[in-house]
Amino acid sequence: MSARNLYLAEQDKIMTDRRLSHWNGITMDTSYLRGSFGDASMSYSQSIRKRRYQVTIEKLPDKVLLHIFSYLTHREICRMARVCKKWRVIAYDTRLWKAVSLRPEVSGLHVGSLEALLALISIRFGPTLRYIELPIELITHTVLHELANKCPNLTHMLLDFSTAMQLHDFSELQTFPTKLKYMCICLSEVIFMEGFMRKIYNFINGLEILHLVGTYEKVEEEEEEIYEVINVHKMKSATPNLRVINLFGINFIDDSHIDAFSSNCIQLECLAVNFCNKVTGSTMKTLFQRSRRLRCLLMNQTSLKSEHVMAVEWEKSSILELDVTATDLSTECLIDMLTRIPGLRFLRAGQINGFNDSVLKAWTENGNTRNLIALDLEASDNLSDDAIKKFLTRHGHQLLGLSLSGMPHITDQLWMAALPIVTNAKILIMGTRERLGVNIHVDQLMDGIANSCPKLERLELRWDPENLRFSDKSQKAIDILRVKCLKMKSLVLSDGRYYEIVKANFERADRTTVVRTATSCRTSIYYLLSNYKDLIFN
């Protein structure tokens, strides 16, 4: 390089150093040409790091903190309120208190006194409150008055009387929330509700969704006297706009109550009477004649009689979703019903001895299965492998949910053959808790699920841990499942070594809520019901 070019290069270097020193506010000795540029770069990077260290959560705008707090439970929000004054203001923002549960036994908040609750209604809940759950000790006329006056936008309410031994005095109850669209009442075994209900009948005619939850799980002896603790015949007159009715596990509900609702609720779309043992189906024909909009009928573990079901004019109905699990319907009845329903999209018909190969064959050949997206045949021991394979070969591609659990003869071999067909599945339930004489090669199964069902959201393997066989390379199959099934929300496994391996794998990838144990979680194709969100109750 010539002397002139060297001189120009040095001058350009000096000017660069001067600009950097001016930008950083630092006086630099530019005589050290080789070190000056490195010192300026270091000073710049240190400045950036210093600024980053100064940005803490305290510097975040209130609206960002509010959004972060919205992901916390109310118990966690109350703990956050103790951190500082600013967080206390954020925690008590009414926008975080739109849906409130005051039942501590089901993860709700504990309120020590009525005075404290009344203060909360006025200060913290107010016009933003949309949903509230109240236990028996907090259901008083004063509380209901305050909710009606201070929470004008309250649309969802749960009243839990299940543990009641004596009701409060509601003789002075003069007002009640008037904009309710959803109401859930947990009934007591012995407390009669009519005194309370008579006071609120004039305020609930706008209800669209009604849940009456009985004490099915608490009944121990069938010989005990059964009380009709709520008058359904009077309630139906006060609720003409119901779209969804859920009568769950109520031991006094029978066909006359279904007939009462159908006589007044012309907009009825979904009726659930699961675990109501006295329902035989004697008024089903009238139900479908009156309720032309009825699309969902759930009758799990009822006492349906085949002659009543066969009397229904199924071909004239609009039914799309049906649950007859654990009923005593005959093979003849099942064939008659399934071949006459115009376009069934959801069917649960497990635990029925009459559901055999002839039913599946008749339904496929003479019925309409083109719209079917969800099928649950749990514990259908009279179905053969061949019949199931033929059905899945023909209709597996359209299924979003499939449950073939509780059948010892349905092993991983059938599932491996079916997986390339059920490529659109969102829910898969497989396996049985019975100890098998064969081994389930779970690595191969997981690999098949990952490569065939990328849309999968919920998976449950019910096989006994002793029947699961996996190798030292099982982590690879789990990795493939985790990476390819990105929509996975729930993976349920029985407690055991394989459960611990899968759980640890997902936790390392920060997906801590996906893997669950079968002792506390159970998967169902109910997620695919059109009215699933309306049917949720706690």
Side-chain angles (χ1 to χ4, degrees):
M1 182 181 292
S2 65
R4 176 178 174 79
N5 290 339
L6 181 60
Y7 172 77
L8 292 174
E10 290 178 351
Q11 291 297 315
D12 184 61
K13 181 75 170 174
I14 291 170
M15 293 302 295
T16 301
D17 290 332
R18 285 176 177 174
R19 284 194 295 269
L20 286 172
S21 65
H22 174 73
W23 190 85
N24 285 286
I26 301 173
T27 303
M28 299 176 62
D29 185 1
T30 56
S31 62
Y32 299 95
L33 296 176
R34 293 184 180 179
S36 60
F37 187 78
D39 293 340
S41 299
M42 185 181 298
S43 179
Y44 170 72
S45 61
Q46 288 174 346
S47 176
I48 294 298
R49 284 198 297 270
K50 185 177 181 181
R51 291 180 184 180
R52 286 179 178 172
Y53 292 148
Q54 290 175 348
V55 178
T56 65
I57 194 170
E58 295 178 358
K59 303 293 185 180
L60 291 176
D62 288 354
K63 63 179 182 180
V64 176
L65 281 173
L66 185 68
H67 184 71
I68 294 173
F69 276 40
S70 68
Y71 289 94
L72 304 177
T73 66
H74 285 139
R75 286 186 177 181
E76 292 169 333
I77 290 174
C78 290
R79 286 197 291 269
M80 295 301 104
R82 303 173 186 174
V83 174
C84 62
K85 292 181 179 179
K86 181 177 180 179
W87 283 26
R88 183 179 180 86
V89 173
I90 298 294
Y92 290 166
D93 192 302
T94 56
R95 286 171 289 184
L96 293 175
W97 300 86
K98 293 180 180 180
V100 180
S101 172
L102 301 179
R103 297 191 297 161
E105 69 277 6
V106 283
S107 302
L109 294 175
H110 173 71
V111 178
S113 65
L114 289 175
E115 291 73 18
L117 176 57
L118 296 176
L120 288 173
I121 293 172
S122 299
I123 300 171
R124 196 175 306 177
F125 300 164
T128 59
L129 187 66
R130 299 288 190 277
Y131 177 97
I132 191 167
E133 296 181 4
L134 295 173
I136 176 61
E137 60 270 17
L138 299 180
I139 305 175
T140 67
H141 72 276
T142 308
V143 171
L144 296 175
H145 282 172
E146 284 294 292
L147 287 173
N149 296 327
K150 303 291 178 61
C151 305
N153 296 312
L154 183 63
T155 57
H156 292 62
M157 176 180 283
L158 184 148
L159 302 175
D160 188 355
F161 294 95
S162 60
T163 59
M165 298 305 294
Q166 183 177 354
L167 285 183
H168 292 281
D169 182 11
F170 292 101
S171 59
E172 297 183 14
L173 182 62
Q174 300 299 327
T175 186
F176 192 78
T178 57
K179 292 186 179 180
L180 291 181
K181 300 296 182 184
Y182 169 107
M183 186 164 70
C184 178
I185 299 178
C186 300
L187 303 177
S188 169
E189 291 182 280
V190 294
I191 300 300
F192 293 93
M193 302 287 299
E194 190 53 32
F196 169 74
M197 296 303 299
R198 200 163 39 239
K199 289 288 185 177
I200 70 170
Y201 281 144
N202 293 332
F203 302 98
I204 60 174
N205 54 18
L207 278 183
E208 296 180 5
I209 303 167
L210 174 65
H211 293 263
L212 297 180
V213 183
T215 55
Y216 172 80
E217 297 179 354
K218 297 181 180 180
V219 176
E220 298 179 357
E221 300 179 7
E222 296 182 358
E223 292 78 13
E224 289 184 358
E225 187 174 358
I226 297 175
Y227 300 101
E228 189 167 341
V229 297
I230 193 167
N231 193 325
V232 173
H233 295 277
K234 288 186 178 179
M235 177 177 283
K236 60 97 176 180
S237 301
T239 54
N241 297 308
L242 290 177
R243 293 186 299 103
V244 178
I245 300 174
N246 179 25
L247 311 176
F248 182 88
I250 306 176
N251 51 17
F252 64 82
I253 290 291
D254 57 25
D255 299 279
S256 67
H257 299 102
I258 296 176
D259 185 64
F261 275 121
S262 67
S263 66
N264 196 52
C265 303
I266 60 174
Q267 300 183 50
L268 189 61
E269 298 175 3
C270 175
L271 175 63
V273 289
N274 293 336
F275 301 97
C276 294
N277 295 324
K278 288 192 173 184
V279 173
T280 65
S282 61
T283 60
M284 281 181 64
K285 182 177 181 180
T286 306
L287 170 67
F288 281 101
Q289 289 174 345
R290 292 171 175 170
S291 305
R292 295 295 182 181
R293 298 184 180 183
L294 187 63
R295 290 174 174 79
C296 178
L297 182 60
L298 309 178
M299 311 185 81
N300 184 3
Q301 292 205 29
T302 55
S303 301
L304 287 179
K305 294 185 178 180
S306 298
E307 58 269 26
H308 297 326
V309 175
M310 294 174 69
V312 176
E313 297 174 323
W314 293 105
E315 60 277 357
K316 296 181 181 180
S317 71
S318 301
I319 197 72
L320 299 175
E321 299 164 342
L322 182 66
D323 185 356
V324 290
T325 301
T327 55
D328 292 327
L329 298 181
S330 64
T331 300
E332 181 186 6
C333 174
L334 290 168
I335 293 175
D336 176 79
M337 177 181 66
L338 293 177
T339 54
R340 288 197 291 141
I341 296 178
L344 201 62
R345 67 183 295 274
F346 177 103
L347 176 66
R348 289 190 76 229
Q351 304 177 46
I352 302 178
N353 291 330
F355 205 112
N356 52 32
D357 291 359
S358 60
V359 175
L360 211 55
K361 181 179 179 181
W363 187 25
T364 304
E365 295 177 353
N366 303 319
N368 181 9
T369 53
R370 292 190 300 271
N371 299 324
L372 188 69
I373 65 166
L375 179 66
D376 185 342
L377 299 176
E378 178 185 358
S380 297
D381 295 329
N382 293 327
L383 281 174
S384 67
D385 294 16
D386 291 338
I388 294 175
K389 285 180 182 177
K390 290 178 181 178
F391 187 86
L392 293 180
T393 301
R394 186 167 179 176
H395 302 290
H397 65 280
Q398 67 196 52
L399 293 179
L400 303 182
L402 177 63
S403 173
L404 298 176
S405 63
M407 292 181 275
H409 60 288
I410 304 298
T411 63
D412 55 332
Q413 297 300 316
L414 186 143
W415 277 105
M416 288 302 298
L419 287 174
I421 305 172
V422 293
T423 54
N424 291 312
K426 294 183 178 180
I427 301 174
L428 291 177
I429 307 168
M430 55 186 76
T432 177
R433 291 184 173 86
E434 298 179 30
R435 190 70 63 87
L436 303 178
V438 297
N439 294 326
I440 305 299
H441 299 281
V442 70
D443 289 349
Q444 182 183 3
L445 187 61
M446 286 293 196
D447 188 67
I449 293 171
N451 290 305
S452 300
C453 307
K455 301 178 182 179
L456 196 64
E457 297 178 4
R458 302 179 188 277
L459 172 65
E460 181 170 358
L461 305 184
R462 295 180 180 174
W463 282 295
D464 189 284
E466 295 297 324
N467 291 118
L468 297 181
R469 291 294 177 268
F470 50 93
S471 66
D472 296 336
K473 298 180 180 179
S474 61
Q475 288 284 359
K476 183 178 179 181
I478 302 169
D479 286 337
I480 295 173
L481 178 73
R482 176 173 47 78
V483 171
K484 291 195 173 183
C485 298
L486 295 175
K487 296 182 179 180
M488 184 78 73
K489 300 176 182 177
S490 172
L491 172 53
V492 182
L493 300 165
S494 297
D495 284 330
R497 185 184 168 199
Y498 189 71
Y499 163 77
E500 297 296 338
I501 293 174
V502 177
K503 184 176 177 63
N505 185 292
F506 274 78
E507 287 180 346
R508 283 196 298 270
D510 291 330
R511 298 175 66 182
T512 56
T513 62
V514 174
V515 183
R516 306 171 188 180
T517 173
T519 57
S520 59
C521 183
R522 186 177 178 87
T523 309
S524 170
I525 64 170
Y526 266 179
Y527 293 103
L528 298 172
L529 287 173
S530 301
N531 295 99
Y532 171 71
K533 291 184 178 180
D534 296 332
L535 288 167
I536 296 175
F537 67 91
N538 188 355

